[in-house]
Amino acid sequence: MTISTDAPYGPCGVSNGVLTPTKMRIFLVQTAQGLTPSSGGYKANVNLLRQLRLFGHDAAQICYGFEDEVEKYAELARAKGVEPNVTHHSGLPVIDSKGNQHELDVKTFMDEHGIHNIVISRVPFNEAYPTREFWQDTQDYLEDRSITQRMQTLIDIFSKHITAYRPSHVVFNDPVTMKVTADHAMRPTFKRINVIHTAEQLPFGPYCNGILGHCSSPKVEDQLLRELEGIWVVSKAIGDYAWQHGRLKTTFLVHSPLTYLDARTGGMPVQRYNIDKFEVGMVNPCPHKGLSILLKLAKRLPQIQFVTWSSWGSRSKHLDQLKELPNMKVMPTTSNTDEIWDRIKVLLAPSVWLEAWGVVVTEAQLRGIPVIASNAGGLKEAKIDLPYCLPVNVVTGAKHENGDYIVPEQNIDLWEEAVLRLMTCQQNYDRVARATAQGSVKWLNSLDPRAHEKWFLGMMTA
């Protein structure tokens, strides 16, 4: 698949079956930190904007970033003939819980894709808004209690830029934006879409607030969710969970195809044939992503080399356990996933929580790299019936005192067998690698690149 703008119709709406020109203005609020984070949810969100830009719509995002990231992206824009028009609004005073003042900077620029970026400086933000305190500030705001000065500053930033951009749609996955847009003076002029990337975002069910920072006020968030024009779930598994536990109607759409295409060429990723490699890889090792399975495998198979890349869920204590193993290498977070695909022979995705999809699984499979994944949540869908998809005992929602999910005991016999079959039998590896590459390309080519555009436009004519 190569995304083309030569479609049978231009950007349009549908009214009584008649196509009518409509240009949308999409405003996205990102919660993942950095302009190049490793989060699959961030990749999916920003590639939705890029996809819509290809079809002639306007797009903007508000996000968090480092100083050097803005300069890097501005240079990339200039190299592509796009004037970034960098602006700098410095010195917004923010008072933390101890009375210390921090200076919050906000920069804006146009990137190479024509997306307008509003970037809140990441370092002072994290200093002024510690996760636990921000969770409490969010709860107070949602429940109409007293609002801290720092929360009011953030509300004002969001509101100001939404007003200035005059969007047709606001897309988000956080409760603060959900309430900011509900109360906004221009509320009747735009549609609101919440992207559900994790079950923990939802204000009901066993996983409600399963991760620190999610769902601080379930009752209020449940009410706000039901007032939205759109709730996008990225897997049937998350949609089923939302209906089963909350009778919440959602719309299932696979990530935008651009999420998985080569960022430079816009075409299919380069397929590897890593039969000569010798490492089994995993990204984001942490308890709910299957850390216990990885540790057991590495101990049972000392003759096999493993390598991991830390990500948003990996804490020092998790990485320390891995570093104790002689056949385990621990790598820092990377935004350049080619480093991973050029190195590993097999990818492990042994999640034991309700995985929303598993972007990394699809990325690996499109490159012809066999993936041994669990059947937890949307991973079964991401596997698209390719080998191997193995059973696990998923978390129930119960947690340790430190906030980690209590992970049930796992039988790793099938995991051990799958690793050995792929790592020691060239004939089996060849068969699985070729089937993986062919099946993934066929699947991606079957997706409608305009599915999200049609859904958004449909909201405008409903």
Side-chain angles (χ1 to χ4, degrees):
M1 170 185 284
T2 299
I3 298 296
S4 170
T5 55
D6 297 328
Y9 60 91
C12 63
V14 181
S15 178
N16 297 322
V18 179
L19 299 177
T20 56
T22 303
K23 185 172 185 176
M24 297 186 292
R25 290 175 63 80
I26 312 298
F27 190 96
L28 169 68
V29 178
Q30 293 273 32
T31 54
Q33 297 217 348
L35 285 166
T36 52
S38 57
S39 160
Y42 179 94
K43 292 179 184 177
N45 289 350
V46 76
N47 277 292
L48 170 64
L49 293 189
R50 292 171 184 172
Q51 189 101 58
L52 292 171
R53 282 290 301 140
L54 287 175
F55 297 143
H57 303 288
D58 292 333
Q61 70 164 340
I62 192 165
C63 56
Y64 305 89
F66 292 115
E67 183 81 17
D68 61 341
E69 288 183 308
V70 173
E71 298 308 317
K72 170 188 170 184
Y73 277 85
E75 286 302 315
L76 287 173
R78 292 187 186 98
K80 294 291 182 69
V82 177
E83 175 51 51
N85 295 318
V86 179
T87 67
H88 186 193
H89 306 279
S90 61
L92 291 174
V94 177
I95 310 299
D96 66 21
S97 60
K98 297 178 181 178
N100 299 317
Q101 180 168 308
H102 304 266
E103 302 293 328
L104 208 60
D105 291 346
V106 179
K107 287 189 174 183
T108 68
F109 74 97
M110 187 74 73
D111 68 22
E112 62 183 295
H113 306 281
I115 297 171
H116 178 64
N117 291 265
I118 303 118
V119 185
I120 299 172
S121 48
R122 177 175 170 177
V123 173
F125 178 86
N126 288 341
E127 291 173 347
Y129 299 82
T131 302
R132 291 186 182 277
E133 295 180 13
F134 185 59
W135 185 89
Q136 184 61 58
D137 283 359
T138 299
Q139 185 183 72
D140 291 342
Y141 171 50
L142 293 175
E143 297 179 0
D144 294 322
R145 296 198 287 267
S146 59
I147 302 176
T148 61
Q149 183 271 345
R150 62 185 168 188
M151 177 58 78
Q152 188 61 59
T153 299
L154 195 64
I155 293 167
D156 291 344
I157 291 172
F158 285 13
S159 297
K160 169 188 171 183
H161 286 284
I162 289 171
T163 299
Y165 194 71
R166 304 185 67 83
S168 61
H169 301 72
V170 181
V171 183
F172 49 86
N173 62 300
D174 69 291
V176 172
T177 308
M178 188 156 57
K179 182 165 173 60
V180 167
T181 52
D183 297 341
H184 199 280
M186 293 172 57
R187 170 67 190 93
T189 67
F190 55 76
K191 308 300 181 183
R192 298 184 298 150
I193 300 97
N194 195 323
V195 190
I196 308 298
H197 285 300
T198 69
E200 285 74 10
Q201 285 175 246
L202 292 168
F204 41 69
Y207 304 128
C208 174
N209 189 27
I211 296 178
L212 180 63
H214 286 64
C215 204
S216 61
S217 182
K219 183 178 179 180
V220 174
E221 291 181 45
D222 185 71
Q223 179 182 344
L224 289 170
L225 272 173
R226 297 175 195 277
E227 297 171 356
L228 302 177
E229 284 78 19
I231 303 173
W232 170 25
V233 292
V234 298
S235 68
K236 293 178 182 177
I238 294 294
D240 290 345
Y241 178 93
W243 181 251
Q244 177 186 352
H245 295 286
R247 287 296 184 262
L248 182 69
K249 292 182 179 180
T250 60
T251 297
F252 163 58
L253 291 171
V254 178
H255 301 127
S256 158
L258 199 63
T259 305
Y260 301 112
L261 296 179
D262 187 281
R264 293 180 295 274
T265 68
M268 285 291 175
V270 175
Q271 292 187 355
R272 275 66 166 179
Y273 186 62
N274 288 355
I275 197 167
D276 60 334
K277 305 299 181 182
F278 59 90
E279 291 174 303
V280 176
M282 180 178 168
V283 177
N284 198 14
C286 56
H288 53 277
K289 291 285 188 175
L291 174 65
S292 63
I293 293 175
L294 174 64
L295 288 168
K296 286 183 178 180
L297 282 172
K299 291 174 182 178
R300 274 202 199 179
L301 301 171
Q303 74 277 26
I304 303 294
Q305 296 298 309
F306 293 83
V307 57
T308 67
W309 283 264
S310 64
S311 188
W312 59 266
S314 308
R315 299 180 192 170
S316 297
K317 62 182 179 181
H318 306 144
L319 302 179
D320 288 344
Q321 293 179 70
L322 296 169
K323 290 175 182 177
E324 292 177 357
L325 302 175
N327 58 336
M328 181 75 66
K329 290 185 175 67
V330 178
M331 306 300 295
T333 304
T334 179
S335 59
N336 179 15
T337 52
D338 283 337
E339 295 176 9
I340 302 173
W341 313 135
D342 290 340
R343 178 168 176 171
I344 65 173
K345 187 171 184 176
V346 174
L347 178 74
L348 286 180
S351 287
V352 294
W353 72 335
L354 191 72
E355 192 76 52
W357 178 265
V359 169
V360 70
V361 170
T362 304
E363 290 177 332
Q365 291 181 161
L366 282 165
R367 289 158 177 81
I369 296 172
V371 178
I372 307 173
S374 77
N375 64 349
L379 280 178
K380 187 175 181 180
E381 297 168 58
K383 282 299 299 174
I384 57 172
D385 293 325
L386 295 168
Y388 295 86
C389 188
L390 305 179
V392 291
N393 297 316
V394 297
V395 298
T396 63
K399 292 189 285 186
H400 295 286
E401 290 185 3
N402 66 3
D404 286 346
Y405 278 129
I406 296 174
V407 176
E409 279 296 313
Q410 307 292 331
N411 184 340
I412 69 162
D413 290 348
L414 292 176
W415 292 84
E416 180 182 4
E417 178 184 342
V419 170
L420 287 173
R421 284 181 58 80
L422 287 170
M423 296 300 288
T424 63
C425 178
Q426 288 202 358
Q427 184 178 5
N428 183 61
Y429 185 90
D430 179 75
R431 178 185 63 82
V432 174
R434 293 183 188 279
T436 295
Q438 293 168 6
S440 299
V441 169
K442 181 179 179 181
W443 169 81
L444 189 58
N445 276 326
S446 73
L447 300 182
D448 179 4
R450 305 196 87 133
H452 303 80
E453 178 193 35
K454 293 172 184 176
W455 183 46
F456 281 24
L457 287 166
M459 295 177 192
M460 301 176 74
T461 57

